Amino acid sequence: MVTANARSLLLGRNKKRARQWSIGVGMLFVASLLYFAAVKAVDYPTIHLALWWEGYAVLLTVLVAVQAYSNGGLVVSWLLTFAAVVGLVLNYGGIGLTGGGPGIVELIGLATVGGVIAAAIVGTLGFGIGTAVRRTAK
């Protein structure tokens, strides 16, 4: 049985807010997928200059920190980062292509692995920042 403290750490203090942020995960995935598809279709590098790698990581860290500040929930923090990175990688972001692109199965595998790694690093970092700020603000 999961204790109340463990549940609060993993899912957040408020169930309603956790559900709202979970909906945000889906919206972030769609937005990431569409944004990077548009950048790829237009092939206009200045569109995504601020939101490529460094900027995107900082933006995700801030978003996760806001989520952690508002409700906590380590799993939600991980899911936010995972969704955003999967949307990026599915548009071949971060994949160095020297020949033909990977097949759909390989692309999904790369997106999953990249999303898990980013969630572990950026999601945990943002969660730690947001939780620390919330605790020191009290």
Side-chain angles (χ1 to χ4, degrees):
M1 190 119 217
V2 178
T3 66
N5 287 338
R7 183 180 177 94
S8 176
L9 171 70
L10 294 175
L11 301 176
R13 297 180 319 272
N14 185 319
K15 287 182 183 180
K16 183 179 178 184
R17 272 203 188 142
R19 270 183 286 224
Q20 290 171 340
W21 279 104
S22 296
I23 292 168
V25 168
M27 292 171 37
L28 182 61
F29 171 71
V30 171
S32 177
L33 198 60
L34 293 176
Y35 173 78
F36 288 106
V39 167
K40 183 178 171 189
V42 174
D43 195 30
Y44 192 63
T46 57
I47 290 175
H48 70 283
L49 192 59
L51 289 178
W52 203 249
W53 294 117
E54 296 88 357
Y56 200 57
V58 169
L59 182 66
L60 282 174
T61 304
V62 169
L63 178 66
V64 171
V66 167
Q67 183 279 139
Y69 180 83
S70 75
N71 192 43
L74 184 56
V75 172
V76 179
S77 298
W78 288 337
L79 287 174
L80 281 167
T81 307
F82 179 82
V85 171
V86 167
L88 168 87
V89 175
L90 288 178
N91 284 296
Y92 297 99
I95 300 174
L97 297 176
T98 56
I104 188 70
V105 174
E106 189 176 8
L107 182 61
I108 291 171
L110 289 169
T112 302
V113 170
V116 167
I117 291 169
I121 296 169
V122 175
T124 304
L125 175 65
F127 176 78
I129 292 169
T131 302
V133 169
R134 179 174 24 94
R135 289 187 180 175
T136 57
K138 285 186 178 183

